[in-house]
Amino acid sequence: MNLVTRDQKHLWHPLTQHKISPEALPIVKAKGSILYAEDGSEYIDGIASWYTAMYGHCNEYITEKVAAQMQNLDQVVFSGFTHEPAVQLSEALIKILPENQQKLFFNDNGSTATEIGIKMALQYHHNQGNNRNVMLAFEEGFHGDTFGAMSVSGLSVYNGAFEEHFIEVLRIPVPLGENNSEVISGLEELISGNNIAGFIYEPLVQGAAAMKMHDAAGLNEILKVCKKNDIVCVADEVMTGFGKTGKYFASDYMETKPDVMCLSKALTAGLLPMGLTTCSQKIYDAFYADDISKGLFHGHTYSANPPACTAAIAGIELLVSEEIQQQIKSVIKSHQAFDEKIKDHPKVTNRRQLGVIYAFDLHIKMERYGNLRNQLFKHFMDNGIFLRPLGNTIYILAPFTVSQMELDKIYNVIDDLLNKI
Ligand SMILES: Cc1ncc(COP(=O)(O)O)c(C=O)c1O
């Protein structure tokens, strides 16, 4: 039996309706920007495997450190014990996070990072005896697939089976510049009539909504209004974190800092699953009490897994290095040059870029998971490029370490597509 047949026997893949989906492609190796398939074909990973492997796949600097850590301390309960990789990671991260972030809470992935962000916001008020149980979120946001995360996600077309179990959520549109004052007055009205505990948002780029981008000044105003009303601001930087926006965090573009931040994906450089929810001293202090029930009673078995912490430390060391910072600048420039090239193409609309995230929409009508989207995907794969169009949006979010030759190949294949459709 080949790998595909064995896969089909027992495996259930994420985001897949197996009855109508093509078979999964067996990947046997990944190195740098390249994914190697079992049949010998190769693909440039144009989305860094869902924006995780930002320093290239199997980056030796990271894999060697993780391998050494694995020989020394593999796993230990993080309730009642601590260890060097966790402490070192906290010190490395605090140096690059917005300066109001002071405490780190470990979890397993992006969904649990946001789940804890939501719990921190709700319990922050509960602990103070405030009757606040409503979350505020952007329309079309995406925060993950656990119940709290699903509740606050505006993009939940396929969550129908669970909707009656969701927590209460109010939504506001994203600020786009021209609508900022409207968004703010709508927000003030919502705040005055509701018991809002927290505001969760993807800062500046809504990833799953097809890399939709919004206005930093407008977001800053929203955060200011929320802070004035003691609404806990929870920045979901699961996608935007760790250099992708051109700064360490998207929150660095705003003067007003979040109370809580959710991190995952590139946190561990694509090597091991891990999430983190960080918060300010003010949030932490609301849980710090003689009363045990005021604590955050949440814990994952693999909290602060030492090899995962080691991957994260090595990733941060690379992120702050001169070499990676130069590479980020050069990817930004390359995208700008490509954008200049395609900007007048009649099939291209809504071009947008923040840091190494580049996206545009095809000027044609199509469904998010429809047939045409599948044809676009096939065009890219047939030409050795792994890009996942989101409806009619084509976006590139390659590893920072992608070479100019690899980028040019991605651009050429997109160009070729534009001239074909
Ligand atoms: C902004 C954001 N938050 C949360 C998540 C959920 O992360 P995970 O898939 O690791 O649970 C994602 C995943 O794409 C995301 O983009």
Side-chain angles (χ1 to χ4, degrees):
M1 265 198 287
N2 66 19
L3 207 55
V4 172
T5 316
R6 282 165 55 213
D7 169 282
Q8 285 170 338
K9 211 155 174 231
H10 298 297
L11 294 180
W12 192 343
H13 288 256
L15 303 177
T16 303
Q17 171 48 277
H18 279 280
K19 187 157 187 198
I20 54 173
S21 297
E23 48 194 39
L25 176 70
I27 298 293
V28 292
K29 183 182 153 158
K31 186 77 192 158
S33 310
I34 308 292
L35 301 173
Y36 298 85
E38 190 184 39
D39 64 4
S41 52
E42 295 178 12
Y43 304 89
I44 300 174
D45 189 351
I47 63 163
S49 286
W50 270 338
Y51 355 120
T52 56
M54 296 310 293
Y55 315 100
H57 286 278
C58 294
N59 182 301
E60 277 162 35
Y61 182 76
I62 304 174
T63 53
E64 277 169 19
K65 294 209 163 193
V66 171
Q69 178 59 45
M70 281 175 166
Q71 302 294 323
N72 193 44
L73 176 63
D74 52 353
Q75 167 66 10
V76 66
V77 171
F78 200 60
S79 186
F81 292 105
T82 192
H83 49 75
E84 178 69 27
V87 174
Q88 218 181 312
L89 172 57
S90 70
E91 291 161 353
L93 204 51
I94 290 291
K95 276 195 196 135
I96 60 167
L97 281 170
E99 61 186 26
N100 70 336
Q101 298 300 295
Q102 286 301 317
K103 297 284 177 183
L104 274 63
F105 193 96
F106 283 96
N107 42 72
D108 290 344
N109 51 53
S111 301
T112 51
T114 57
E115 199 75 24
I116 292 169
I118 295 164
K119 285 175 87 167
M120 280 183 181
L122 294 173
Q123 196 180 338
Y124 167 82
H125 286 291
H126 178 87
N127 280 359
Q128 297 175 84
N130 303 335
N131 174 29
R132 298 217 202 175
N133 55 6
V134 178
M135 288 298 293
L136 180 72
F138 277 141
E139 288 162 1
E140 292 195 276
F142 178 73
H143 302 286
D145 290 332
T146 49
F147 270 85
M150 272 194 294
S151 306
V152 291
S153 295
L155 262 191
S156 54
V157 265
Y158 301 108
N159 286 342
F162 316 111
E163 274 168 18
E164 65 183 285
H165 308 287
F166 286 179
I167 55 174
E168 199 182 331
V169 179
L170 294 167
R171 295 189 195 287
I172 53 170
V174 293
L176 295 169
E178 71 270 20
N179 69 344
N180 285 1
S181 53
E182 230 171 279
V183 173
I184 293 295
S185 53
L187 170 64
E188 282 168 339
E189 213 168 291
L190 278 183
I191 292 173
S192 69
N194 293 281
N195 299 326
I196 300 176
F199 168 49
I200 185 162
Y201 58 101
E202 290 166 275
L204 303 184
V205 189
Q206 292 182 297
M211 300 297 157
K212 288 211 171 122
M213 299 187 186
H214 54 262
D215 180 51
L219 179 55
N220 194 52
E221 285 309 303
I222 293 173
L223 297 177
K224 274 204 321 221
V225 172
C226 287
K227 293 252 177 172
K228 207 170 83 191
N229 289 280
D230 204 21
I231 292 173
V232 178
C233 295
V234 181
D236 177 354
E237 295 239 19
V238 168
M239 195 283 287
T240 49
F242 299 98
K244 291 171 208 138
T245 62
K247 294 189 187 270
Y248 290 148
F249 298 96
S251 293
D252 296 336
Y253 282 93
M254 273 72 61
E255 197 192 320
T256 312
K257 301 303 175 197
D259 303 295
V260 173
M261 290 176 73
C262 312
L263 309 172
S264 190
K265 291 194 186 271
L267 166 67
T268 42
L271 237 78
L272 290 160
M274 189 166 81
L276 265 177
T277 310
T278 71
C279 71
S280 64
Q281 191 68 40
K282 177 179 142 182
I283 301 297
Y284 180 79
D285 287 347
F287 292 74
Y288 191 78
D290 294 321
D291 178 355
I292 195 165
S293 72
K294 288 205 166 162
L296 180 60
F297 272 84
H298 187 119
H300 293 285
T301 305
Y302 279 99
S303 292
N305 171 254
C309 289
T310 304
I313 297 162
I316 293 169
E317 281 166 0
L318 291 180
L319 176 65
V320 302
S321 71
E322 188 53 37
E323 195 182 342
I324 290 290
Q325 287 300 314
Q326 278 310 324
Q327 277 167 323
I328 290 175
K329 285 196 186 109
S330 106
V331 174
I332 291 173
K333 264 203 187 145
S334 298
H335 286 346
Q336 285 164 343
F338 177 59
D339 181 63
E340 192 57 36
K341 188 169 166 211
I342 63 166
K343 72 179 201 300
D344 296 323
H345 196 290
K347 291 278 162 52
V348 172
T349 181
N350 292 335
R351 294 145 32 241
R352 50 208 184 265
Q353 179 177 0
L354 188 65
V356 304
I357 309 169
Y358 179 73
F360 68 88
D361 296 345
L362 289 173
H363 207 36
I364 46 179
K365 257 219 141 14
M366 54 190 280
E367 290 164 36
R368 188 172 172 96
Y369 293 107
N371 226 354
L372 189 51
R373 182 265 170 209
N374 294 342
Q375 283 171 31
L376 300 181
F377 181 73
K378 185 171 180 315
H379 168 85
F380 293 130
M381 291 298 277
D382 287 349
N383 286 284
I385 307 291
F386 174 45
L387 288 180
R388 271 177 71 95
L390 291 165
N392 66 342
T393 299
I394 292 173
Y395 75 94
I396 310 171
L397 184 30
F400 301 137
T401 50
V402 66
S403 72
Q404 190 59 49
M405 242 168 68
E406 289 162 342
L407 272 181
D408 287 341
K409 182 160 178 200
I410 295 175
Y411 299 146
N412 287 339
V413 173
I414 293 176
D415 227 4
D416 188 34
L417 173 89
L418 289 176
N419 296 325
K420 262 193 196 152
I421 53 171

